[in-house]
Amino acid sequence: VQPKTLPTGLPECVREWDDLEKNYQQIQDTHRLYKQKLQEVTKLQNSCAAAISRQRKRLKELAASLKECKEKQANPDLSPEELEAIAEMEKSTKERTNSFFEMESFLPKKNGLYLSLVLGNVNVTLLNKQAKFAYKDEYEKFKLVVTVILFIVSFTCRFLFSYRALDALFNFLLVWYYCTLTIRESILITNGSRIKGWWVFHHYVSTFLSGVMLTWPEGVLYQLFRNQFISYCLYQSFVQFLQYYYQSGCLYRLRTLGERHTMDLTVEGFQSWMWRGLTFLLPFLFFGHFWQLYNGMTLFRMSQLPECKEWQVLMCGCSYMVLFMGNFLTTLAVVYQKYRNNQEKSKSF
């Protein structure tokens, strides 16, 4: 398409102005229609949210009544058909609860406490699947890019330069990264993501730990722990890189099969083809968990030294122990879940 030539004379300028005037009127009409539809959408959103709330209340009351009926199973007044009807209603109630969860992920909702403190009452709900998936995809890419940057910076601090200012810059980057993750994950949860509670809390603890490391002053104890800490961060970046490709691969395949919500971050249920990749990843995960335990024990021993005056030593030690316990137990739960699924699958055959 050839570009439109600029008007050269007054008659052409007048014609151009008339054309712009007509186009402006069309823009005004379109915008007026847009505001009207937007008001209609807002009314529909409020109506749908109120209807779901009423239905939930009634379902809760019905569930309480069904529970009373089930407690009377020994009563001969309840026939087998009635007991079967109770079981069917309970099953449908659970399915409806999941359906409401999907519906509400497309409705505006109030921010949680953390988002309210950070962003105020700004509406962060994304109202279509394309926007949700785009935000989730951008979140995953953000993690990958920052993980690579953290790997490079930690490698530089460990093997090339040993300056306190560079260490402070690295710790500040960690604080910014984990703070950003907590905000983005809160937005994902608002939009229907089923993120495990521990992983959210894990990033809060990591933010606190990085902030304490940032404030740790230069001294003998800092230099004593520095190389161990940076080596751990270097290894952690490597493991996070492996986790990114494992989780993204699993979620892509599950979304393709239509078996998982598009906003999920971690895989809560496993299939046989997932276990092969996780088997490769588990030794790296457990090694990282026990490195966290080693860091905590090292810091606790350092806190007993007579020359230890910094409060950061004990705080970092406690943080590493919390991270170890949470990560270790969560990974064990994943392994146990896979074992239980395999047992149930073998029984079905």
Side-chain angles (χ1 to χ4, degrees):
V1 178
Q2 294 183 352
K4 187 176 180 180
T5 58
L6 296 176
T8 56
L10 181 58
E12 293 185 7
C13 290
V14 171
R15 286 194 296 269
E16 181 68 17
W17 173 254
D18 291 339
D19 185 62
L20 288 172
E21 190 71 18
K22 294 178 182 178
N23 186 256
Y24 176 69
Q25 294 298 329
Q26 292 176 355
I27 293 174
Q28 283 187 317
D29 294 338
T30 302
H31 188 263
R32 192 178 299 110
L33 180 62
Y34 163 74
K35 291 195 297 182
Q36 178 184 343
K37 295 297 182 183
L38 193 60
Q39 291 177 352
E40 294 176 2
V41 168
T42 303
K43 291 180 180 179
L44 286 173
Q45 289 171 346
N46 296 334
S47 176
C48 187
I52 291 175
S53 179
R54 289 192 298 269
Q55 177 100 172
R56 271 215 174 98
K57 182 179 179 181
R58 294 178 62 184
L59 285 174
K60 185 177 180 180
E61 295 172 351
L62 177 62
S65 300
L66 291 175
K67 184 178 180 181
E68 293 180 2
C69 293
K70 285 183 66 178
E71 292 174 354
K72 300 177 182 178
Q73 288 187 12
N75 192 328
D77 294 339
L78 291 175
S79 64
E81 291 78 9
E82 290 174 330
L83 293 176
E84 184 178 352
I86 291 175
E88 184 66 26
M89 283 188 286
E90 287 181 335
K91 180 181 177 182
S92 298
T93 299
K94 293 180 181 179
E95 294 176 352
R96 194 163 300 179
T97 301
N98 295 331
S99 178
F100 286 155
F101 181 84
E102 296 291 334
M103 292 180 186
E104 288 179 329
S105 66
F106 292 92
L107 294 172
K109 62 187 70 174
K110 292 183 179 180
N111 295 335
L113 177 61
Y114 181 64
L115 276 183
S116 297
L117 292 174
V118 176
L119 302 177
N121 294 323
V122 178
N123 180 26
V124 296
T125 306
L126 304 172
L127 302 181
N128 61 76
K129 289 186 177 181
Q130 292 77 13
K132 290 176 183 290
F133 183 80
Y135 186 81
K136 169 64 174 60
D137 186 60
E138 196 274 334
Y139 167 85
E140 295 291 351
K141 290 178 180 178
F142 166 80
K143 287 201 303 182
L144 178 62
V145 171
V146 178
T147 297
V148 173
I149 294 174
L150 288 173
F151 182 87
I152 295 173
V153 176
S154 57
F155 181 88
T156 303
C157 292
R158 180 65 180 86
F159 298 107
L160 300 181
F161 302 104
S162 180
Y163 299 122
R164 184 64 181 87
L166 187 59
D167 293 352
L169 178 63
F170 174 65
N171 285 306
F172 178 79
L173 180 61
L174 286 174
V175 173
W176 170 80
Y177 172 59
Y178 286 118
C179 282
T180 305
L181 281 186
T182 58
I183 296 173
R184 293 185 178 224
E185 286 172 351
S186 297
I187 294 175
L188 286 169
I189 292 173
T190 301
N191 285 277
S193 181
R194 300 179 179 92
I195 306 176
K196 290 279 192 179
W198 162 248
W199 298 119
V200 179
F201 184 71
H202 170 277
H203 290 148
Y204 289 132
V205 177
S206 299
T207 303
F208 174 78
L209 173 61
S210 302
V212 174
M213 286 296 302
L214 179 62
T215 62
W216 192 342
E218 175 72 22
V220 177
L221 294 181
Y222 175 81
Q223 289 298 329
L224 189 63
F225 183 67
R226 175 187 181 276
N227 287 343
Q228 181 176 328
F229 167 71
I230 296 179
S231 298
Y232 164 75
C233 292
L234 187 65
Y235 177 80
Q236 186 183 44
S237 297
F238 169 72
V239 174
Q240 287 177 347
F241 185 79
L242 296 179
Q243 283 181 300
Y244 166 81
Y245 277 101
Y246 168 75
Q247 291 180 350
S248 61
C250 289
L251 289 174
Y252 176 80
R253 187 165 179 176
L254 287 170
R255 280 196 298 264
T256 303
L257 297 173
E259 298 181 14
R260 296 292 296 177
H261 194 276
T262 57
M263 297 295 286
D264 285 351
L265 292 181
T266 56
V267 180
E268 300 172 9
F270 290 92
Q271 298 181 8
S272 59
W273 55 267
M274 296 179 187
W275 187 246
R276 292 190 293 269
L278 188 63
T279 304
F280 169 78
L281 191 60
L282 279 176
F284 295 98
L285 291 176
F286 279 115
F287 184 79
H289 300 341
F290 283 103
W291 198 336
Q292 290 172 339
L293 175 63
Y294 175 62
N295 287 345
M297 295 176 62
T298 300
L299 290 164
F300 282 141
R301 287 196 299 266
M302 290 171 56
S303 67
Q304 303 301 317
L305 297 175
E307 60 269 24
C308 179
K309 306 297 181 183
E310 300 91 340
W311 60 269
Q312 289 89 348
V313 177
L314 187 58
M315 287 294 99
C316 288
C318 293
S319 300
Y320 273 117
M321 295 304 293
V322 171
L323 290 176
F324 163 73
M325 291 298 297
N327 289 333
F328 182 72
L329 293 176
T330 302
T331 305
L332 280 182
V334 168
V335 175
Y336 173 73
Q337 182 181 359
K338 172 58 185 176
Y339 171 78
R340 187 178 62 182
N341 291 345
N342 283 342
Q343 292 293 107
E344 293 176 356
K345 186 176 180 180
S346 61
K347 289 179 181 179
S348 64
F349 286 102

